Amino acid sequence: MTTKNTDQVAVDVQSLYKSYGPLEVLKGIDFAVKQSELVCVIGPSGSGKSTLLRCINLLEVPTSGRVFVNGIEITHPDVDLDATRSRVGMVFQQFNLFPHLNVLRNVTIAPERVLRLPRSEAERIARDGLDRVGLAAKADAFPDQLSGGQQQRVAIARALAMHPALMLFDEPTSALDPELVGEVLAVMRQLKKDGMTMLVVTHEMGFAREVADRVVFMDGGKIVEDGPPSDVIGNPRQERTRHFLRRVLHPEV
């Protein structure tokens, strides 16, 4: 199996293509994410952003190309997929919590079943994670007793309980009421300060501008621009990027 030096690179995507029948969604994606880097992926609906994330942890199998995560080629046919996925946390638009389990149990179930940790150790890790997202007092609550923002923070704690080296966020605030968005973004800001490597698909341009190390703009299944937020959002080179940002930042115009 192919491995690469992981001193600096957490994710390395090479010539990635993904098709669904005749529909080509990703058209030759090449990019890398460094350790402790936060990269925001922006672009219009249907541009391939979510498909890119799902290919990075093989929720979708690429049609062709190679993906390395922490130096391991996860697209290799002999990869230990469960072991690789356990090092990649993913937070979706929907919270996907088990409604019949309390918060603590939602967070402990994966460490127990995947990492084979004893329940006492899994609960210690879960409580630490809930404290990290500001929800230590909600351990015994059930999902329907929580706000959407709280549920998403539980989902983040659940991902953190697996001690991931990489966190993927697929529009984590898009299902939230506007007044609840800030609490989730605050947790993500703290994760950035803590050195977590993150790849974030988002429409939150303020967050991308303020917190991201890099912004990737995708359109039509390709990367159109990739650079610091001050360039891609503040002074984009491509007309496609400028058009998208005008629509997002000034929808009333």
Side-chain angles (χ1 to χ4, degrees):
M1 188 185 309
T2 307
T3 61
K4 298 182 68 175
N5 189 309
T6 60
D7 287 348
Q8 293 293 327
V9 178
V11 179
D12 188 9
V13 177
Q14 302 176 0
S15 300
L16 186 67
Y17 289 81
K18 176 61 181 178
S19 297
Y20 299 96
L23 178 63
E24 192 172 49
V25 178
L26 298 178
K27 305 174 182 178
I29 301 293
D30 290 281
F31 87 116
V33 180
K34 294 180 181 179
Q35 300 284 354
S36 299
E37 197 173 31
L38 192 162
V39 177
C40 282
V41 183
I42 64 173
S45 297
S47 59
K49 308 183 300 297
S50 294
T51 301
L52 173 61
L53 286 198
R54 294 173 70 86
C55 284
I56 288 174
N57 68 355
L58 289 194
L59 289 176
E60 298 284 355
V61 178
T63 303
S64 64
R66 304 168 82 192
V67 179
F68 293 84
V69 175
N70 298 315
I72 298 171
E73 185 187 353
I74 66 166
T75 43
H76 192 282
D78 295 331
V79 72
D80 184 342
L81 192 53
D82 289 338
T84 301
R85 278 198 185 130
S86 72
R87 299 288 287 154
V88 180
M90 187 156 184
V91 178
F92 300 87
Q93 297 177 34
Q94 302 299 327
F95 322 124
N96 297 326
L97 301 180
F98 295 108
H100 63 291
L101 300 178
N102 67 17
V103 164
L104 185 67
R105 192 73 186 115
N106 264 280
V107 179
T108 60
I109 193 166
E112 284 185 41
R113 294 188 178 180
V114 179
L115 301 182
R116 305 294 185 187
L117 296 181
R119 179 164 293 196
S120 59
E121 177 67 5
E123 287 191 358
R124 183 191 64 77
I125 292 169
R127 291 185 188 280
D128 285 347
L130 290 171
D131 184 59
R132 197 171 177 184
V133 301
L135 290 175
K138 297 292 187 180
D140 296 325
F142 284 81
D144 65 0
Q145 298 173 308
L146 304 178
S147 70
Q150 290 173 328
Q151 290 186 60
Q152 191 63 295
R153 285 151 62 195
V154 171
I156 293 172
R158 178 180 58 188
L160 292 173
M162 297 294 289
H163 296 301
L166 167 68
M167 287 282 283
L168 307 177
F169 293 85
D170 188 5
E171 298 193 27
T173 60
S174 65
L176 299 178
D177 292 333
E179 66 270 20
L180 302 177
V181 168
E183 65 188 66
V184 174
L185 296 182
V187 170
M188 296 170 67
R189 285 186 172 92
Q190 186 58 52
L191 291 178
K192 163 64 177 171
K193 290 179 182 178
D194 293 343
M196 176 63 71
T197 306
M198 292 187 280
L199 186 58
V200 182
V201 171
T202 185
H203 287 294
E204 299 290 339
M205 293 301 120
F207 175 82
R209 190 195 299 267
E210 296 164 21
V211 184
D213 296 297
R214 284 165 46 217
V215 173
V216 171
F217 172 68
M218 289 184 65
D219 193 18
K222 296 181 178 181
I223 292 178
V224 177
E225 293 202 45
D226 179 353
S230 57
D231 290 349
V232 177
I233 297 177
N235 188 28
R237 300 187 310 274
Q238 303 297 325
E239 175 55 33
R240 289 158 76 185
T241 316
R242 292 194 290 270
H243 176 72
F244 170 77
L245 290 170
R246 280 195 299 268
R247 289 194 297 111
V248 171
L249 298 174
H250 308 288
E252 71 283 355
V253 177

